[in-house]
Amino acid sequence: MNPFFNPICTIESLPTEIAFGISVHVLRLDSLHPVVSGNKWFKLHHYLTEAIAAQKTILTFGGAFSNHIVATASAASNAGLKSIGVIRGEASLTPSPTLIQAKEYGMELFYTSREAYKTKQVPAKVYERYTPEELYVIPEGGYGTNGMEGAKDILLQNDTYNYTHILSAVGTGTTLAGLIAAAGSWQNVIGISVLKNNFSLQQEIDDLLPSDKKGRFILLHDYHVGGYAKRSAELIRFMNDFYSETGIPTDFVYTGKLFFAAVDLLRKNYFEKDAKVLIVHTGGLQGNRSLPKGTLIFGAE
Ligand SMILES: *Cc1c(COP(=O)(O)O)cnc(C)c1O
């Protein structure tokens, strides 16, 4: 795969009964690429360009079910670069499918304790094998200006001019920052935070934005369903029903909570009758691979 293919995604409308009569479309970033799914491709683009120019080994951070880890492994492999994943937690005798796949893409994995992981330092073990000059470090989740710049293309490379509201799931906020930076002044960008009470997000997003865009977004903190990667029976039921009704697969970490929030807001008349809502399906179904078999009626792939 050419790491710089031009990603034009499909935009589908939601059935009116699900959308409570409002015009709602879904930007299907999940259909981009089976592994470098969705927003991760956009966030990695500029980091990858720099790493290729410098011919360095890419190092990044993530958990055992991280979409970012497997996306980075695949993208680095396509670009002919070596990659290293610093993984939160101890090595397991039964590694997650995500980590097995990352290894298949040639990513070298270094495990680090949950305590040490918090500092996001490159573990000393890595420096036994690599010099700092050989490494190109991508922050966890691709957070940073390069990530934000890449995420702007999500709106700019698709026909999104006419939407009044743009919704996306938020982890680090890098993707939302790109959407805010690319959106027109007539567009309202709304982020659904998937972490519990992550109120520092407001500042972290502002830090990535040019001064005329700072604060020009709304974060909703009511749809985390207990916290990051937490789930409820109601959320799983919603995801299965949503798939039956629309054919759109979601994951319980990010997009399940996003669509759950969107439908809840539609039900509560959050949007004006003439609103044109765009929901960005950010892809990445890796989290679902941690669920017991049979939980979902659709596959993780
Ligand atoms: C990583 C991820 C996000 C979060 O993106 P941020 O830029 O970190 O906010 C949202 N959705 C999916 C599917 C993801 O994999």
Side-chain angles (χ1 to χ4, degrees):
M1 178 192 92
N2 167 10
F4 300 124
F5 71 96
N6 192 26
I8 303 292
C9 311
T10 57
I11 298 184
E12 293 170 13
S13 64
L14 275 193
T16 55
E17 56 285 8
I18 295 178
F20 293 89
I22 304 277
S23 162
V24 180
H25 289 80
V26 181
L27 178 60
R28 298 284 306 268
L29 303 187
D30 58 317
S31 57
L32 260 184
H33 184 270
V35 181
V36 193
S37 188
N39 64 338
K40 298 301 185 279
W41 187 89
F42 290 92
K43 290 199 288 183
L44 285 170
H45 187 166
H46 295 292
Y47 290 114
L48 218 57
T49 307
E50 286 186 4
I52 292 168
Q55 283 297 303
K56 291 191 178 191
T57 294
I58 291 176
L59 179 145
T60 197
F61 303 86
F65 292 93
S66 164
N67 291 316
H68 172 68
I69 283 289
V70 72
T72 304
S74 164
S77 151
N78 284 321
L81 296 177
K82 290 202 279 182
S83 66
I84 296 172
V86 176
I87 309 301
R88 181 180 59 235
E90 305 308 325
S92 158
L93 287 176
T94 51
S96 69
T98 307
L99 294 184
I100 291 171
Q101 199 171 7
K103 266 187 158 161
E104 283 168 6
Y105 288 116
M107 181 176 261
E108 203 179 334
L109 304 180
F110 288 83
Y111 294 86
T112 179
S113 72
R114 281 161 198 280
E115 214 32 58
Y117 184 86
K118 283 185 192 150
T119 66
K120 303 292 167 353
Q121 300 291 330
V122 176
K125 284 176 290 188
V126 174
Y127 288 134
E128 292 168 12
R129 307 266 313 283
Y130 297 85
T131 65
E133 294 71 39
E134 287 174 307
L135 300 176
Y136 183 88
V137 177
I138 301 179
E140 183 185 41
Y143 177 85
T145 309
N146 272 345
M148 179 277 286
E149 285 292 335
K152 279 160 76 170
D153 287 336
I154 294 171
L155 288 191
L156 300 179
Q157 296 195 357
N158 294 281
D159 185 8
T160 58
Y161 192 82
N162 286 325
Y163 294 98
T164 57
H165 296 77
I166 296 161
L167 271 70
S168 179
V170 178
T172 65
T174 314
T175 302
L176 200 77
L179 298 175
I180 299 158
S185 57
W186 63 94
Q187 295 178 308
N188 301 287
V189 180
I190 302 168
I192 309 299
S193 176
V194 302
L195 278 77
K196 186 175 180 177
N197 299 342
N198 185 22
F199 301 123
S200 59
L201 203 49
Q202 184 82 26
Q203 187 62 50
E204 285 150 15
I205 292 174
D206 269 347
D207 288 346
L208 298 178
L209 290 172
S211 52
D212 62 323
K213 296 284 187 170
K214 289 187 199 296
R216 301 194 57 151
F217 58 97
I218 295 169
L219 285 176
L220 299 181
H221 292 280
D222 304 326
Y223 296 102
H224 55 75
V225 192
Y228 183 72
K230 295 282 191 291
R231 64 182 197 266
S232 65
E234 189 188 13
L235 177 65
I236 298 294
R237 200 179 320 117
F238 170 83
M239 288 165 60
N240 280 329
D241 289 349
F242 190 73
Y243 180 77
S244 305
E245 287 156 6
T246 64
I248 299 176
T250 54
D251 77 290
F252 77 93
V253 183
Y254 294 106
T255 54
K257 293 176 184 179
L258 166 69
F259 283 97
F260 183 88
V263 170
D264 190 56
L265 294 172
L266 286 160
R267 183 186 300 117
K268 293 175 174 163
N269 299 317
Y270 182 89
F271 305 100
E272 308 87 67
K273 279 282 159 245
D274 59 353
K276 277 180 69 64
V277 179
L278 181 69
I279 305 176
V280 180
H281 189 315
T282 38
L285 304 178
Q286 291 296 326
N288 289 348
R289 295 173 126 181
S290 70
L291 295 172
K293 269 206 163 27
T295 306
L296 296 171
I297 59 172
F298 51 93
E301 260 72 35

